[in-house]
């Protein structure tokens, strides 16, 4: 491919060599440098691609894209050096051009917010495909391209991988893609190089603030807002206290959903639906639609997720029957995922791994009047201690019994994390037990279940591993539950 074609949408300076040359590959990993490739010198958290400029020259790269001086490595060499302000930003545009701008051949739906992103993407995919619109998905759990499911490494992939994914979706004949857009991805320009057809905002609360994340809530909020300067239509939760701030300076048309009167699409007359193995909610749509629907997931946050998905699918002329069907059938691994163990109590797995998500989940479940609400959770290592204090306090206030255990301790000692959680729960009168080993903690929850209980295994959700001292060990809560029961563990 011609270098000039790759650079067509970028501001740049050619500081060495010729622009009239062919590029055989686009590379941002020094281990993959090949002859006549374009090598992007990306500054990462650990490595700086500029430090590998000499290696790239030696191995035959034809073009270097840089944001700082590498003249010592390139002086007198037959190589083209392109200087840009930010090589991550440049990578997004170069990647889009390399793959032939595949996003232009898809309807691209981007969903951002603190919670609700994953569930909403699956709802949208289900609704669109029920309506005969083949739809890909990019998210926290996995990337789905037709029948192919690829486990996710990041909520939103790097720009090169994202554009490659879009290209594969186009090749498979998909017409739309719904994706989760993280604040980190927006901050690091992973979603530059194309325009979203729809940008969606679910809600916002303090999260991802700390070392290696966002410096402040204001930065976190500003990064979320970048989506609404890169989309054609913005659909936002009008009830969220931060909605106006998030979309400030937007360049798109705005539409709102929520429970409040001023929203364009509203949910009214909420009714809890409950039965053996069933916790849901029924409600009526008003405003832009007039329709009665039922969600198979419990509570208000499920109503918001449904409203969000319906707001998007209106633009694809998805029929009312298809909407109803998707709300009852769509399931997401690790999001209020019910695990059938006994008809006498409810056991579920959920990804709630911060105070906001846990409070929302437990508050919702209490509305269904369980005999006891039991919450099992731990907190991740190498993350903010404030999250541990807050989650301990939330569970202590809302759960009838908290089982404190381990999550992903990473490089910390599990007991130290548990002690931090206990600091939070000590502010409450909540009852708790601590069982450091998560498998043993799950066994305790099942063995001590009582009729009418709702038991939540929180924090791991879709994850099927536990990270300890830099290594990931297999640990899927569904597998653990099955093995415990097959091994003779008794429950009611």
């Amino acid at each position: 491919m011609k270098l000039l074609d790759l650079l067509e949408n970028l501001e740049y300076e050619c500081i060495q060599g010729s622009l009239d040359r062919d590029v055989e590959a686009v590379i941002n990993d020094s281990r993959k440098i090949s002859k006549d490739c374009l090598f992007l010198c990306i500054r990462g958290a650990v490595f700086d691609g500029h430090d590998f400029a000499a290696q790239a020259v030696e191995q035959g790269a034809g073009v270097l894209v840089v944001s700082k001086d590498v003249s010592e490595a390139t002086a007198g060499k037959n190589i083209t050096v392109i200087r840009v302000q930010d090589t991550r930003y440049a990578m997004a545009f170069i990647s889009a051009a390399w793959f032939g701008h595949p996003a232009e051949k898809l309807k691209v739906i981007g969903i951002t917010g603190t919670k609700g992103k994953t569930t909403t993407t699956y709802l949208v995919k289900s609704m669109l495909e029920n309506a005969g619109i083949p739809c890909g998905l990019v998210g926290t759990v996995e990337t789905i391209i037709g029948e192919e499911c690829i486990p996710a490494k990041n909520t939103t992939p790097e720009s090169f991988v994202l554009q490659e994914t879009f290209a594969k979706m186009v090749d498979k004949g998909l017409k739309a893609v719904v994706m989760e857009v993280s604040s980190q991805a927006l901050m690091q320009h992973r979603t530059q190089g194309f325009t979203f057809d729809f940008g969606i905002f679910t809600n916002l609360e303090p999260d991802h603030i700390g070392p290696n994340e966002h410096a402040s809530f204001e930065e976190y909020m500003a990064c979320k807002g970048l989506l609404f300067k890169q989309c054609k239509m913005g659909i936002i939760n009008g009830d969220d206290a931060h909605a106006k701030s998030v979309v400030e300076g937007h360049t798109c048309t705005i539409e709102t959903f929520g429970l409040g009167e001023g929203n364009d699409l509203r949910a009214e007359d909420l009714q809890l639906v409950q039965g053996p193995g069933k916790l849901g909610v029924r409600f009526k749509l008003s405003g832009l639609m007039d329709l009665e629907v039922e969600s198979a997931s419990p509570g208000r946050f499920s109503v918001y997720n449904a409203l969000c998905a319906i707001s998007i699918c209106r633009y694809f002329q998805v029929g009312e029957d298809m909407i109803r069907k998707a709300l009852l059938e769509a399931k997401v691994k690790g999001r209020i995922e019910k695990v059938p163990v006994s008809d006498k109590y409810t056991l579920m797995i959920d990804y709630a791994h911060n105070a906001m998500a846990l409070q929302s989940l437990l508050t919702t479940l209490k509305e269904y009047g369980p005999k006891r609400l039991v919450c099992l959770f731990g907190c991740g290592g190498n993350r903010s201690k404030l999250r541990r204090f807050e989650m301990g306090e939330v569970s202590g206030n809302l759960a009838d019994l908290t089982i404190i255990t381990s999550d992903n301790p990473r490089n910390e000692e599990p007991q130290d994390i548990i002690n931090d959680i206990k600091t939070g729960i000590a502010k409450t009168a909540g009852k708790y037990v601590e069982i450091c080993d998560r498998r043993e903690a799950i066994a305790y929850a099942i063995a001590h279940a009582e009729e009418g209980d709702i038991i939540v295994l929180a924090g791991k959700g879709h994850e099927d591993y536990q990270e300890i001292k830099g290594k990931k060990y297999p640990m899927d809560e569904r597998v653990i539950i099955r093995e415990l029961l097959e091994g003779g563990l008794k429950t009611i």
Side-chain angles (χ1 to χ4, degrees), residues 197-241:
D197 292 282
F198 299 91
I200 316 299
F201 168 67
T202 60
N203 49 65
L204 194 72
E205 288 293 337
D207 194 24
H208 299 293
I209 298 165
N212 302 320
E213 296 187 276
H214 291 288
S216 65
F217 178 68
E218 287 70 27
E219 180 187 283
Y220 178 53
M221 181 164 59
C223 288
K224 293 289 190 190
L226 293 173
L227 179 59
F228 302 95
K229 299 178 176 71
Q230 196 191 332
C231 70
K232 298 173 185 175
M233 165 65 76
I235 299 175
I236 67 170
N237 175 358
D239 293 346
D240 189 86

Side-chain angles (χ1 to χ4, degrees), residues 310-384:
I310 294 166
S311 295
I312 297 164
C313 291
R314 272 195 341 106
Y315 285 92
F316 292 83
Q317 284 75 53
V318 176
E320 294 180 355
D321 290 343
M322 299 302 179
I323 288 173
R324 289 194 182 99
K325 186 171 185 281
L327 290 177
L328 289 172
E329 293 182 356
K331 292 179 175 61
V332 188
K333 185 178 181 181
R335 300 309 195 273
I336 324 177
E337 179 186 353
K338 300 178 190 73
V339 183
V341 173
S342 169
D343 289 337
K344 295 183 178 180
Y345 64 90
T346 301
L347 176 65
M348 62 175 60
I349 295 171
D350 192 83
Y351 190 50
H353 62 292
N354 59 51
M356 176 197 177
L358 191 64
Q359 181 164 356
S360 177
L361 176 64
L362 297 182
T363 300
T364 291
L365 295 177
K366 282 184 79 72
E367 293 177 355
Y368 288 81
K371 178 180 180 182
R372 293 186 311 164
L373 180 56
V374 179
C375 178
L376 179 152
F377 80 98
C379 289
N382 305 109
R383 298 292 187 270
S384 170

Side-chain angles (χ1 to χ4, degrees), residues 185-202:
L186 289 161
M187 181 171 70
Q188 295 175 0
H189 310 303
R190 295 181 206 164
T191 59
Q192 284 292 343
F194 66 96
T195 300
F196 289 90
D197 292 282
F198 299 91
I200 316 299
F201 168 67
T202 60

Side-chain angles (χ1 to χ4, degrees), residues 69-256:
D69 182 48
V70 293
S71 57
E72 276 191 31
T74 62
K77 306 294 184 180
N78 180 27
I79 192 165
T80 298
V81 182
I82 303 297
R83 184 155 188 162
V84 296
Q85 185 172 349
D86 186 320
T87 52
R88 277 192 180 276
Y89 183 83
M91 178 166 67
F93 285 88
I94 290 170
S95 298
W98 177 255
F99 287 105
H101 301 286
E104 294 177 3
K105 304 175 183 78
L106 296 163
K107 289 292 186 182
V108 185
I109 304 156
I111 302 178
T112 198
T114 303
K115 64 187 183 74
K117 298 188 297 296
T118 300
T119 299
T120 305
T121 57
Y122 281 86
L123 283 174
V124 170
K125 177 176 167 59
S126 179
M127 288 181 188
L128 293 183
E129 295 202 327
N130 273 316
I133 302 167
C135 181
L137 183 146
V138 179
T140 302
V141 179
E142 60 193 344
T143 291
I144 304 175
I145 307 172
E147 299 299 316
E148 184 182 10
C149 298
I150 306 160
K153 294 180 180 178
N154 303 99
T155 295
T156 313
E158 285 287 1
S159 57
F160 185 88
V161 176
L162 183 60
Q163 292 294 337
E164 183 179 37
T165 299
F166 287 166
K168 289 178 180 178
M169 290 178 177
V170 171
D171 289 344
K172 287 284 187 180
L174 304 188
K175 301 301 181 185
V177 55
V178 58
M179 60 180 288
E180 297 182 51
V181 183
S182 70
S183 54
Q184 287 284 331
L186 289 161
M187 181 171 70
Q188 295 175 0
H189 310 303
R190 295 181 206 164
T191 59
Q192 284 292 343
F194 66 96
T195 300
F196 289 90
D197 292 282
F198 299 91
I200 316 299
F201 168 67
T202 60
N203 49 65
L204 194 72
E205 288 293 337
D207 194 24
H208 299 293
I209 298 165
N212 302 320
E213 296 187 276
H214 291 288
S216 65
F217 178 68
E218 287 70 27
E219 180 187 283
Y220 178 53
M221 181 164 59
C223 288
K224 293 289 190 190
L226 293 173
L227 179 59
F228 302 95
K229 299 178 176 71
Q230 196 191 332
C231 70
K232 298 173 185 175
M233 165 65 76
I235 299 175
I236 67 170
N237 175 358
D239 293 346
D240 189 86
H242 304 288
K244 288 184 179 179
S245 297
V246 167
V247 299
E248 186 176 352
H250 66 85
T251 57
C252 59
T253 304
I254 294 290
E255 184 180 290
T256 62

